[in-house]
Amino acid sequence: MGRTIKTNFSYPRGNFPRLCLIGNSNVGKSSITKLLLSHPKWYKGKVGKTAGSTVRLTIINDPKLNYHVIDLPGFGRMTKLSRTSEEFIQNQILKYLRLDKKNIFLILLVIAMDRLKDELGKWYFKNEETIPLSIEFIQYFIQNEIPCLVILNKSDKLNKYQRDDIKKTFLRVLSDFDIEIDDLKSKQSILDVIDCSIRTKQGIKEIKQIIKESASHLQLENFDPRSELLNLPPIDAKNKGKKGDKRTKSHLT
Ligand SMILES: Nc1nc2c(ncn2[C@@H]2O[C@H](COP(=O)(O)OP(=O)(O)O)[C@@H](O)[C@H]2O)c(=O)[nH]1
Ligand SMILES: [Mg+2]
């Protein structure tokens, strides 16, 4: 079933502001990342490749931006991967977040709208024990006071009725977990949800605006402009994952 994959985790090093994109595989993280750069040529990762072959953390140092953009590997939902590989990747992402959270001024959590109902439905209707992973990541960001913008991408795949329905369910699940949606544009708030489509460019302008606004508060004198990248050797994800892990309630502990 699951097969061995190579991961190549290059952890960013030093203190420098970072914008991070996180989400399942194939939801559009890399496509969105490219649109957020001054020129797509700065993006060195892959877009639209079959999910779950090589998993890496892509660090983009766009000379026109006063922050790094980090395209994190996809977590979960990679059918080609074994559960242990998935867990390994989740752990690597968490490790990165723990290491770098002081530098992350904004997280973009990308969710594919057309898959959301399925994910939430599993938990909501089938009484599955496991909390949807996206919800758990949101809880993690809130607990760690990392500002988060939830991007509901691929809105072009649904009609208006379906989109409203999905959003309503999503907001209901969030409120069941006592997660409040604020407006990121107002100061203290840390969570906002926005519809987006790479195909129709819906939401892209607003996302850029929110990033620009967040980045404008950065106090660059607190950061080290010479921060380097620490390159770690490729890791065999399958062999590094713990065997026989039972599925527990939480993914992230
Ligand atoms: N219809 C549609 N397809 C999209 C959208 N965003 C991304 N895709 C496609 O989804 C696939 C995965 O995109 P990618 O950016 O590589 O996802 P990642 O794995 O999250 O980085 C590619 O084939 C994209 O062209 C969108 O908004 N609408
Ligand atoms: Mg990608």
Side-chain angles (χ1 to χ4, degrees):
M1 255 185 56
R3 64 191 178 88
T4 305
I5 52 140
K6 297 281 182 203
T7 63
N8 186 354
F9 261 82
S10 302
Y11 290 99
R13 198 191 209 180
N15 290 320
F16 201 68
R18 287 172 184 124
L19 169 74
C20 289
L21 283 94
I22 189 169
N24 283 160
S25 233
N26 217 37
V27 295
K29 294 181 298 297
S30 303
S31 310
I32 294 171
T33 304
K34 277 177 107 169
L35 289 181
L36 302 178
L37 305 177
S38 64
H39 192 284
K41 73 175 176 192
W42 299 115
Y43 188 78
K44 303 281 189 258
K46 287 182 175 128
V47 178
K49 238 190 117 226
T50 326
S53 42
T54 299
V55 188
R56 57 181 70 232
L57 183 152
T58 307
I59 303 151
I60 301 128
N61 196 351
D62 182 331
K64 291 208 174 132
L65 300 177
N66 58 359
Y67 49 84
H68 292 156
V69 182
I70 312 247
D71 184 13
L72 287 164
F75 60 75
R77 294 299 190 103
M78 292 180 281
T79 46
K80 284 182 185 166
L81 292 186
S82 67
R83 175 130 285 275
T84 47
S85 295
E86 284 189 12
E87 278 168 7
F88 173 77
I89 291 160
Q90 285 162 25
N91 285 333
Q92 293 300 301
I93 293 172
L94 281 175
K95 191 170 156 190
Y96 161 70
L97 292 173
R98 269 196 296 273
L99 273 168
D100 208 31
K101 68 183 169 203
K102 286 202 178 66
N103 289 313
I104 302 172
F105 70 96
L106 183 64
I107 291 247
L108 306 181
L109 173 64
V110 185
I111 297 173
M113 230 184 191
D114 58 323
R115 289 201 208 151
L116 184 57
K117 190 158 192 169
D118 212 41
E119 191 191 348
L120 295 177
K122 252 191 220 157
W123 175 80
Y124 216 79
F125 303 112
K126 292 180 195 158
N127 236 347
E128 187 160 308
E129 242 187 291
T130 315
I131 299 172
L133 198 49
S134 322
I135 303 284
E136 241 190 304
F137 268 107
I138 293 173
Q139 287 178 322
Y140 180 87
F141 303 143
I142 291 173
Q143 277 157 19
N144 289 279
E145 294 182 342
I146 306 174
C148 174
L149 174 65
V150 179
I151 297 178
L152 300 179
N153 192 36
K154 306 203 183 186
S155 68
D156 58 281
K157 289 193 160 185
L158 302 174
N159 63 35
K160 190 177 180 318
Y161 170 80
Q162 293 167 317
R163 288 202 298 268
D164 290 348
D165 184 41
I166 289 277
K167 263 190 110 166
K168 229 168 68 193
T169 312
F170 183 56
L171 296 177
R172 196 172 62 207
V173 172
L174 286 179
S175 89
D176 282 355
F177 282 99
D178 291 324
I179 297 170
E180 278 181 43
I181 299 292
D182 293 305
D183 188 357
L184 258 188
K185 284 155 244 162
S186 76
K187 262 194 183 153
Q188 307 92 322
S189 57
I190 55 168
L191 189 68
D192 199 0
V193 177
I194 198 161
D195 289 14
C196 171
S197 165
I198 292 295
R199 196 151 287 177
T200 67
K201 302 288 181 285
Q202 185 198 7
I204 300 295
K205 237 172 94 183
E206 288 94 322
I207 293 167
K208 285 184 172 175
Q209 190 54 42
I210 290 170
I211 295 169
K212 203 172 153 192
E213 175 62 24
S214 310
S216 71
H217 300 302
L218 294 172
Q219 305 203 301
L220 287 173
E221 61 274 19
N222 297 337
F223 293 101
D224 173 13
R226 290 157 302 144
S227 70
E228 335 146 30
L229 306 178
L230 170 66
N231 287 302
L232 299 177
I235 299 159
D236 180 335
K238 193 181 175 192
N239 295 336
K240 288 283 172 180
K242 267 186 250 143
K243 269 191 190 148
D245 270 356
K246 256 190 98 187
R247 201 161 178 167
T248 47
K249 195 157 190 277
S250 170
H251 296 278
L252 303 184
T253 46

